[in-house]
Amino acid sequence: MARPDKAAAVAELTDKFRSSNAAVLTEYRGLTVAQLKTLRRSLGENAQYAVVKNTLTKIAAKEAGITLEDQLFAGPTAVAFVTGDPVESAKGLRDFAKDNPNLVIKGGVLEGKALSADEIKKLADLESREVLLAKLAGAMKGKQSQAAALFQALPSKLVRTVDALRAKQAEQGGAE
């Protein structure tokens, strides 16, 4: 029979997996407490970084409906549970790992889909949601301006053509 403290830990981890947009599993072996504190700060306000037990985390992920490879649960594991923009937290992890090679990104999950370490690094290379939306809005505004200029050019071109035709007819009519 499961011990009550372990059952409570599994239930808490299951809730975190379900309520998070993303979760990134890392190996933190060799990091000091001060470095872990710095890492937690670099993840942003919308992420929680927690050292977890592999067996309990594996059970919690399974209960949350998430399938993760067993190799992700080798060695000391900590999970970054992200409730906001996953790109921001992935960038924080990537940047911290560049400065601290002891932090190893193992893999994770984004909206229920398992991700490899390489996919998380690609996610970190994306621009933030706000920047992407701003670029999209700028592109749409540019296309609207082009369309407006095109629609405005058609009537004025028609007027110039009609005026040229009238002038030509008047010229031909005056020559006769």
Side-chain angles (χ1 to χ4, degrees):
M1 181 167 213
R3 291 191 352 216
D5 57 336
K6 287 187 179 183
V10 168
E12 182 181 350
L13 287 171
T14 302
D15 287 342
K16 284 184 179 182
F17 273 115
R18 286 183 179 148
S19 65
S20 299
N21 297 341
V24 180
L25 282 79
T26 63
E27 183 175 325
Y28 63 93
R29 185 186 333 236
L31 293 176
T32 65
V33 173
Q35 288 172 324
L36 287 174
K37 189 175 182 181
T38 304
L39 172 60
R40 284 185 174 99
R41 259 190 253 118
S42 70
L43 291 177
E45 298 176 6
N46 298 324
Q48 288 182 319
Y49 189 74
V51 174
V52 295
K53 292 189 177 274
N54 289 334
T55 308
L56 300 181
T57 306
K58 191 186 299 187
I59 293 168
K62 189 175 182 180
E63 285 184 11
I66 298 168
T67 305
L68 295 171
E69 297 179 25
D70 289 340
Q71 67 191 22
L72 295 177
F73 298 102
T77 303
V79 181
F81 293 102
V82 183
T83 54
D85 184 13
V87 174
E88 178 186 345
S89 297
K91 284 182 184 194
L93 283 168
R94 178 201 58 197
D95 295 343
F96 186 86
K98 283 181 185 176
D99 297 335
N100 301 285
N102 287 335
L103 180 73
V104 178
I105 297 172
K106 297 180 184 182
V109 61
L110 175 65
E111 296 179 359
K113 180 186 177 283
L115 299 175
S116 68
D118 289 335
E119 290 172 321
I120 291 172
K121 289 175 185 166
K122 287 179 185 175
L123 180 66
D125 292 336
L126 286 176
E127 293 171 332
S128 71
R129 182 176 190 270
E130 289 78 19
V131 171
L132 291 174
L133 287 174
K135 284 185 174 183
L136 177 64
M140 291 175 67
K141 182 179 179 189
K143 293 297 180 190
Q144 288 175 344
S145 297
Q146 288 175 347
L150 176 66
F151 293 137
Q152 192 175 18
L154 289 174
S156 64
K157 188 174 182 179
L158 177 66
V159 169
R160 286 192 306 268
T161 305
V162 169
D163 285 344
L165 186 59
R166 279 188 194 147
K168 188 175 182 182
Q169 287 177 347
E171 189 178 290
Q172 287 177 352
E176 291 177 16

